[in-house]
Amino acid sequence: MTTTEINPSTRNGVDTATLFATLDAVRQAPAAAQFQFRAHNEWINGTHNRSTIRDFFGVGEERAHERTFVFGADHPAVLVGHDNGPTPVEFVLHALAACLTAGLANIAAARKVTLTEVRSTVSGDIDLNGILGLDADVRNGYQQINVRFTVKGDAPADVLRDLVEQSRMRSAVYDVITNGVPVSIDVDVK
Amino acid sequence: MTTTEINPSTRNGVDTATLFATLDAVRQAPAAAQFQFRAHNEWINGTHNRSTIRDFFGVGEERAHERTFVFGADHPAVLVGHDNGPTPVEFVLHALAACLTAGLANIAAARKVTLTEVRSTVSGDIDLNGILGLDADVRNGYQQINVRFTVKGDAPADVLRDLVEQSRMRSAVYDVITNGVPVSIDVDVK
């Protein structure tokens, strides 16, 4: 398989020259890697609410995405909502798929593997007896999550598998979901 | 404050009669509460990929949302992407805000508290020396997450604060993020 790239440093849509330059820059100035991401949420009605994602902090200063991203969330009718968006727990699955896939493309590019297809289905099993308060032995969240990847590219099977494994080893969302993160909650009432 | 509701069982947009009927139904048939949620992701280019959310399993059968939800994710330019969507880690923050807020509205309705405003900002601190592989002592994921709520409604401050606390106690995403979930990954290579 031969792929012609206009920019020889670009593979899989990843500008590897910039990627390596970024790594070098952070190696020289580790504080640049301190980021804070944010979501601003507004309740609409019932289980329907909406988050706005735009501002973040990184590389020493306040920044913003090129545009504002807005996402609704809701419950389906079977969970007493109006289905104006996915459930919050479904967004967790999207986040995991997206993080593993972005990492995979970067790692493939760094290893000079050209990918032709990456698909995944992330499924999470949850027993709602937990959040409904009906069984104290059942946790509120997912009991387990499975990711099934299909990966195609110009490398042997074991090399393609190693890309997924390295992405898992360096995935922020995989770490958050498997190892947990402390969460503090502050409340202003009016 | 007096609020006139067309349906007397509806408060905060939550149909409390249906909510309590659902609880009773699950109490009688706990297996109905076994759900599986899913996201189907497709790599597009570089760090840009897209998830489709539609099908899920619950109350004993395969189901689907009323429409298909599609969300892109990407990295901003400063993280060597093209900013076609929020980062995966930002979707985690949205999921947390959405889950806590939906629960809060349900719990308020069950406790006959009428809410007039619920806003939150979720912020997550992350040191990218972890995912960049530059410091083995730095984790890949968020180091801490903070949620700051503003809640207004027709109840005393302590009652409003208790709504947030009860929502935290019953939040699926809060549990996932703070306690972690086992994740298995299967790879088909072609």
Side-chain angles (χ1 to χ4, degrees), chain B residues 4 26-27 35 50 69 83 114 121 139 142 170 181 189:
Chain B
T4 304
V26 176
R27 197 175 281 118
F35 274 64
R50 186 188 289 140
F69 302 108
D83 218 6
T114 300
T121 291
R139 68 178 296 176
Y142 286 122
R170 282 284 165 252
V181 177
V189 291

Side-chain angles (χ1 to χ4, degrees), chain A residues 42-62:
Chain A
E42 178 184 16
W43 174 60
I44 299 171
N45 199 35
T47 50
H48 184 203
N49 57 79
R50 186 188 289 140
S51 289
T52 301
I53 296 173
R54 181 172 173 81
D55 55 295
F56 63 98
F57 178 91
V59 199
E61 61 187 69
E62 283 294 318

Side-chain angles (χ1 to χ4, degrees), chain A residues 25-34, chain B residues 127 129:
Chain A
V26 176
R27 196 175 282 119
Q28 300 303 316
Q34 303 294 332
Chain B
D127 180 346
N129 284 293

Side-chain angles (χ1 to χ4, degrees), chain A residues 93-135:
Chain A
L93 306 181
H94 163 53
L96 180 58
C99 194
L100 291 168
T101 300
L104 199 159
N106 274 340
I107 293 160
R111 295 183 179 181
K112 300 188 178 3
V113 174
T114 299
L115 298 170
T116 50
E117 183 181 325
V118 181
R119 292 178 186 275
S120 60
T121 291
V122 185
S123 55
D125 298 311
I126 190 166
D127 179 347
L128 299 184
N129 283 292
I131 64 168
L132 294 174
L134 297 176
D135 188 337

Side-chain angles (χ1 to χ4, degrees), chain A residues 12-15 22-23 26-27 30 33-43 45-47 49 51 53 59 65-67 69 71 73 78-80 83-86 88-95 97-99 101-102 105-106 115 118-134 139-152 157 160-161 164 168-190, chain B residues 12-14 22-23 26-27 30 33-43 45-47 49 51 53 59 65-67 69 71 73 78-80 83-86 88-95 97-99 101-102 105-106 115 118-134 139-152 157 160-161 164 168-190:
Chain A
N12 303 324
V14 176
D15 181 342
T22 300
L23 279 166
V26 176
R27 196 175 282 119
Q34 303 294 332
F35 275 64
Q36 183 181 74
F37 292 107
R38 302 164 195 145
H40 304 281
N41 186 275
E42 178 184 16
W43 174 60
N45 199 35
T47 50
N49 57 79
S51 289
I53 296 173
V59 199
H65 287 288
E66 289 171 26
R67 55 195 177 90
F69 302 108
F71 304 102
V78 71
L79 296 174
V80 202
D83 218 5
N84 289 296
V89 287
E90 289 171 304
F91 278 105
V92 171
L93 306 181
H94 163 53
C99 194
T101 300
N106 274 340
L115 298 170
V118 181
R119 292 178 186 275
S120 60
T121 291
V122 185
S123 55
D125 298 311
I126 190 166
D127 179 347
L128 299 184
N129 283 292
I131 64 168
L132 294 174
L134 297 176
R139 69 177 296 175
N140 295 317
Y142 286 122
Q143 292 168 310
Q144 62 265 331
I145 294 173
N146 175 261
V147 187
R148 178 166 287 279
F149 265 107
T150 299
V151 181
K152 300 183 187 177
L160 295 177
R161 288 182 190 281
V164 178
R168 185 187 69 74
M169 294 277 288
R170 282 284 165 253
S171 166
V173 177
Y174 179 87
D175 176 29
V176 166
I177 293 178
T178 56
N179 294 317
V181 177
V183 176
S184 60
I185 302 181
D186 299 315
V187 186
D188 293 328
V189 291
K190 301 207 173 151
Chain B
N12 304 325
V14 176
T22 300
L23 278 166
V26 176
R27 197 175 281 118
Q34 302 294 333
F35 274 64
Q36 182 180 76
F37 292 107
R38 301 163 195 147
H40 305 281
N41 186 276
E42 178 184 16
W43 173 60
N45 198 36
T47 49
N49 58 79
S51 288
I53 295 173
V59 199
H65 286 288
E66 289 171 26
R67 55 195 178 90
F69 302 108
F71 304 102
V78 70
L79 296 174
V80 202
D83 218 6
N84 289 296
V89 287
E90 288 170 303
F91 279 106
V92 171
L93 306 181
H94 163 52
C99 195
T101 300
N106 274 339
L115 298 169
V118 182
R119 293 178 185 276
S120 60
T121 291
V122 186
S123 54
D125 297 312
I126 189 166
D127 180 346
L128 299 183
N129 284 293
I131 64 169
L132 295 174
L134 297 177
R139 68 178 296 176
N140 295 317
Y142 286 122
Q143 292 168 311
Q144 62 266 330
I145 292 173
N146 174 260
V147 188
R148 177 167 287 278
F149 266 108
T150 299
V151 181
K152 300 182 188 179
L160 296 177
R161 288 181 192 282
V164 177
R168 184 188 68 76
M169 294 276 290
R170 282 284 165 252
S171 166
V173 176
Y174 179 87
D175 176 30
V176 166
I177 293 177
T178 57
N179 294 317
V181 177
V183 175
S184 60
I185 302 180
D186 299 316
V187 185
D188 293 329
V189 291
K190 300 204 175 152

